[in-house]
Amino acid sequence: MLVSTNVLQRKPPGRKPPAAVWLGENGALVALVVLAVALSLLSGDFLTVTNLLNVGVQAAVTAILAFGATFVIITGGIDLSVGSVAALSAIVLAWTATDAGLPWPLATVIALAVGLACGLVNAALIAYGKLPPFIATLAMLGIARGLALVISQGSPIAMPEAVSHLGDTIGDYLPVPVVVMLIMGLITAVILSRTYSGRAMYAIGGNEEAARLSGINVNRQKLITYALAGLFAAVAGIVLASRLASAQPQAAAGYELDAIAAVVIGGASLSGGKGRAFGTFVGALILAVLRNGLNLLSVSAFWQQVVIGVVIALAVLLDTLRRRGTN
């Protein structure tokens, strides 16, 4: 009787305060604000208009890649090929417009189609070939980079002048890469929140078998997911090449790691089922602000890699602890 009385007297677990819930969902935004305040105190050059615009431009390519990676990570997958696909798409655009003599709008469409095709190949290997996403996209990383080197013969190719304007600034204070980044972020948010495919991504990442039993065509949704990642990678590659005024076969090397880091720092879970476009955007800004601040403080590039690695490890650790707390 005593045992049953004690059981009855136990209080059910209470709900978290609204502030704690908001902080859990927007921890990356809080971290970005704290980081910006700290760097503004440590360096007088941080809050200048020129430097802040530079941060935006630096974040643009990573953010666009990360938006595409967000789709994949929400489904519980991973895509290691986006950096190489970005380089290949830019090389294809430059080669078809310069060497093949095609009009630049057609060359741009072909470049975007190449990114889309790479994503579809990844999805086919994963969904129908039953390869782990890590292995399938690692293979595509090598294939895309190799094709970029073969097509360009290892040398940069000049971008069409019309496309190079993507690296310009509208007026004095609005870089075109930042505009493209915001547009791609808006598209990502709409897909995730307002479309059937977006809801299916969350369902697959939460429990793939349950999603299949509920009537979702999981294989088809994976095709859509990885195709979007490839398409976003192509856009990022074109933006990067326009900034450099040339397509370089070794461009965007290692960017896939920054993209994944931005998604995780932004609050997505590597186990799937969780992620937001805004969180990814904030994650990309954190990486750009951190690198920019470390440069302003004259920190060695070698130590910068150490700091970025620590930040990524902490983000994954916090995600793990958060998931344990909800179980």
Side-chain angles (χ1 to χ4, degrees):
M1 187 67 183
L2 180 61
V3 174
S4 60
T5 302
N6 288 339
V7 171
L8 291 174
Q9 289 177 347
R10 289 177 185 171
K11 294 182 180 181
R15 292 183 179 180
K16 292 182 179 180
V21 174
W22 185 90
L23 186 61
E25 294 178 350
N26 299 277
L29 181 60
V30 174
L32 176 60
V33 172
V34 172
L35 181 61
V37 171
L39 289 174
S40 65
L41 294 175
L42 293 172
S43 173
D45 296 326
F46 178 75
L47 286 182
T48 61
V49 174
T50 301
N51 187 64
L52 292 178
L53 291 176
N54 185 40
V55 170
V57 172
Q58 289 178 354
V61 173
T62 299
I64 296 170
L65 286 173
F67 289 137
T70 302
F71 300 125
V72 174
I73 290 176
I74 286 175
T75 64
I78 200 78
D79 192 346
L80 300 177
S81 67
V82 291
S84 296
V85 171
L88 174 61
S89 299
I91 287 291
V92 167
L93 192 161
W95 183 84
T96 52
T98 304
D99 293 1
L102 295 179
W104 71 264
L106 179 57
T108 302
V109 171
I110 294 173
L112 294 174
V114 167
L116 190 71
C118 289
L120 288 173
V121 171
N122 282 336
L125 291 173
I126 294 165
Y128 299 105
K130 304 303 179 185
L131 291 181
F134 181 90
I135 299 300
T137 59
L138 182 63
M140 180 56 70
L141 180 153
I143 293 170
R145 186 68 67 181
L147 288 174
L149 289 166
V150 168
I151 294 171
S152 66
Q153 297 183 349
S155 301
I157 304 176
M159 292 288 284
E161 184 177 354
V163 180
S164 295
H165 289 312
L166 284 174
D168 294 344
T169 300
I170 301 174
D172 295 327
Y173 301 109
L174 188 57
V176 177
V178 173
V179 175
V180 176
M181 172 183 67
L182 295 176
I183 292 173
M184 300 306 289
L186 180 61
I187 292 172
T188 303
V190 170
I191 290 174
L192 289 176
S193 62
R194 299 301 178 92
T195 68
Y196 172 81
S197 291
R199 292 188 292 272
M201 291 174 193
Y202 286 106
I204 293 169
N207 189 319
E208 183 172 326
E209 186 58 28
R212 183 179 288 107
L213 293 175
S214 68
I216 295 175
N217 189 327
V218 173
N219 288 344
R220 183 173 65 187
Q221 293 305 322
K222 285 185 178 180
L223 287 173
I224 294 172
T225 299
Y226 283 88
L228 284 170
L231 182 61
F232 276 54
V235 174
I238 293 170
V239 170
L240 178 60
S242 68
R243 285 180 53 201
L244 302 174
S246 65
Q248 302 183 17
Q250 295 289 5
Y255 277 41
E256 58 276 351
L257 301 181
D258 281 357
I260 295 170
V263 178
V264 175
I265 291 172
S269 174
L270 287 173
S271 61
K274 183 178 179 181
R276 294 187 304 161
F278 180 72
T280 296
F281 173 66
V282 172
L285 285 180
I286 287 176
L287 290 176
V289 167
L290 191 56
R291 284 200 172 96
N292 177 266
L294 293 175
N295 283 330
L296 291 177
L297 297 175
S298 301
V299 176
S300 165
F302 305 132
W303 279 108
Q304 289 184 30
Q305 294 300 317
V306 175
V307 173
I308 297 296
V310 170
V311 170
I312 295 171
L314 289 175
V316 176
L317 178 61
L318 289 174
D319 172 59
T320 302
L321 294 175
R322 184 169 56 243
R323 284 188 285 114
R324 286 178 182 174
T326 57
N327 292 335

